[in-house]
Amino acid sequence: KAGVTQTPRYLIKTRGQQVTLSCSPISGHRSVSWYQQTPGQGLQFLFEYFSETQRNKGNFPGRFSGRQFSNSRSEMNVSTLELGDSALYLCASSRDITTYNEQFFGPGTRLTVL
Amino acid sequence: GQQLNQSPQSMFIQEGEDVSMNCTSSSIFNTWLWYKQEPGEGPVLLIALYKAGELTSNGRLTAQFGITRKDSFLNISASIPSDVGIYFCAGRGGSEKLVFGKGTKLTVNP
């Protein structure tokens, strides 16, 4: 069974640009969560999607947005990039809301903003 | 908001030694999770705890859900070089969001 896949694995952008990251959950998983990981702040929750609906949102500015498609694949978008957005962005999937605790993480997308 | 304090930040040990790390919360949690992350990979779930006082093992790893529901610890016995990585605790309280500790970086010298 394939794990969670994230594309691209590495990305370099400049300030002011926007970026879209993609996540494909494990087959059969319908819940997708996104996290930002930085050395200083650790892992911080961005948002969670289930059945194409955003169910939870972390404390990030509106420049961070996401969506989920009918096949459960999810994308997150960051507009007007800032230097502080440089981070590892992790996606995690779980079968459904009741198994939210048993999330499986992807390898992440390393975003560097210059 | 909820915060987790994970300690120690880093550990340098000799192969064969036992390791202990813990997390404390400013509020009550209903679930505690422990993850391990290796370079270039996402975190991998090691142990999940759902009841206060629960003690669960996964091979050489043992974790406990504190009685106060505000803390948890992870022990690794007889460490080996492949135990190297960053260990994270995570907890969930009243909201459905998972809150993560900042990690304990473990280095094992052969």
Side-chain angles (χ1 to χ4, degrees):
Chain A
K1 197 179 207 181
V4 178
T5 58
Q6 292 187 245
T7 56
R9 290 293 307 273
Y10 303 92
L11 206 49
I12 299 176
K13 292 284 187 179
T14 56
R15 277 182 300 175
Q17 286 187 308
Q18 76 163 27
V19 66
T20 299
L21 312 180
S22 180
C23 171
S24 292
I26 292 172
S27 177
H29 284 196
R30 296 189 296 160
S31 173
V32 173
S33 298
W34 288 90
Y35 296 85
Q36 181 194 65
Q37 186 176 28
T38 58
Q41 298 299 318
L43 269 154
Q44 292 190 290
F45 173 79
L46 279 157
F47 25 65
E48 183 206 0
Y49 287 88
F50 179 78
S51 291
E52 302 177 64
T53 302
Q54 187 181 91
R55 293 193 68 250
N56 271 303
K57 191 176 188 307
N59 299 322
F60 279 82
R63 300 185 297 108
F64 292 81
S65 63
R67 59 178 176 167
Q68 186 180 34
F69 302 95
S70 58
N71 62 358
S72 295
R73 190 177 69 85
S74 178
E75 288 181 348
M76 68 162 280
N77 183 277
V78 188
S79 62
T80 319
L81 284 166
E82 301 177 0
L83 295 178
D85 296 334
S86 294
L88 181 67
Y89 289 88
L90 291 161
C91 162
S93 78
S94 59
R95 188 168 299 279
D96 56 41
I97 302 165
T98 61
T99 57
Y100 177 78
N101 291 330
E102 293 167 14
Q103 292 182 340
F104 294 85
F105 282 84
T109 293
R110 172 76 62 186
L111 172 65
T112 302
V113 182
L114 302 176
Chain B
Q2 294 173 325
Q3 293 185 343
L4 285 185
N5 183 27
Q6 183 171 353
S7 64
Q9 269 190 310
S10 60
M11 302 183 76
F12 297 85
I13 62 169
Q14 293 297 127
E15 183 176 359
E17 289 184 0
D18 296 344
V19 171
S20 185
M21 58 192 79
N22 70 84
C23 273
T24 56
S25 167
S26 56
S27 55
I28 290 173
F29 276 179
N30 299 319
T31 302
W32 283 99
L33 307 172
W34 285 93
Y35 289 87
K36 178 187 178 186
Q37 186 175 24
E38 298 184 24
E41 301 293 330
V44 174
L45 182 65
L46 299 172
I47 294 178
L49 303 161
Y50 300 104
K51 278 186 352 185
E54 182 179 355
L55 185 71
T56 298
S57 292
N58 178 4
R60 293 177 296 104
L61 278 61
T62 302
Q64 183 159 30
F65 192 142
I67 292 290
T68 64
R69 293 168 64 192
K70 290 186 176 183
D71 63 334
S72 177
F73 71 75
L74 175 71
N75 286 342
I76 304 173
S77 63
S79 59
I80 58 178
S82 63
D83 290 334
V84 164
I86 302 177
Y87 292 80
F88 291 96
C89 62
R92 191 172 65 154
S95 78
E96 293 177 343
K97 303 173 198 175
L98 267 182
V99 179
F100 282 80
K102 294 196 174 178
T104 295
K105 186 175 182 180
L106 179 63
T107 303
V108 180
N109 296 315

